[in-house]
Amino acid sequence: MATVELTKENFDQVVSDNGFVLIDFWASWCGPCRQFAPVFEKSSEAHPDLVFAKVDTEAQQELAAAFEIRSIPTLMIVRDNVAVFAQAGALPEALLEDVIGQARGLDMDEIKQKIAQESK
């Protein structure tokens, strides 16, 4: 599956319409970003049920600022409109697969309950 290019115009729609979105914050001049890109792409083909998206931090500076992206590449996973993972650095394939597996295994009802309790 091809990755989706996220912009400030389509970000909310893509994330709210899909229950599980992996987001790669990157830039064309970033060596580690170029190193991570084929790993991210290969993973997108292995998980056609998930949405793999990219945010070009140069073109989408408002999005990068909104998520306080300080280092790229940064991988973020959003499940049910909740950011459940964010880490800077180019992940190797095995680690990316492990992170996806852990994110799939999360009990989102439990996470949403904790968020609701913390916001009281």
Side-chain angles (χ1 to χ4, degrees), residues 45-96:
E45 293 167 7
H47 300 279
D49 58 319
L50 307 180
V51 173
F52 284 72
K54 295 175 91 61
V55 173
D56 180 344
T57 57
E58 291 294 303
Q60 300 299 323
Q61 292 181 11
E62 287 179 50
L63 271 180
F67 286 97
E68 300 179 357
I69 303 301
R70 304 269 184 260
S71 180
I72 54 175
T74 291
L75 176 69
M76 182 176 288
I77 298 177
V78 179
R79 279 201 55 199
D80 301 339
N81 289 315
V82 177
V84 296
F85 178 85
Q87 180 175 317
L91 299 177
E93 184 178 346
L95 188 53
L96 177 58

Side-chain angles (χ1 to χ4, degrees), residues 14 20 42 58 62 78 98 107 112 115 120:
V14 171
F20 197 122
K42 182 176 179 186
E58 291 294 303
E62 287 179 50
V78 179
D98 183 52
D107 181 341
K112 288 179 180 178
I115 291 169
K120 287 183 181 178

Side-chain angles (χ1 to χ4, degrees), residues 2-73:
T3 57
V4 177
E5 188 67 34
L6 291 180
T7 65
K8 66 180 183 177
E9 290 78 23
N10 73 355
F11 186 91
D12 290 340
Q13 179 87 44
V14 171
V15 170
S16 60
D17 285 355
N18 297 282
F20 197 122
V21 183
L22 292 93
I23 305 166
D24 175 19
F25 289 87
W26 70 285
S28 60
W29 52 262
C30 166
C33 297
R34 289 193 306 270
Q35 186 180 24
F36 181 60
V39 173
F40 192 72
E41 192 66 32
K42 182 176 179 186
S43 186
S44 76
E45 293 167 7
H47 300 279
D49 58 319
L50 307 180
V51 173
F52 284 72
K54 295 175 91 61
V55 173
D56 180 344
T57 57
E58 291 294 303
Q60 300 299 323
Q61 292 181 11
E62 287 179 50
L63 271 180
F67 286 97
E68 300 179 357
I69 303 301
R70 304 269 184 260
S71 180
I72 54 175

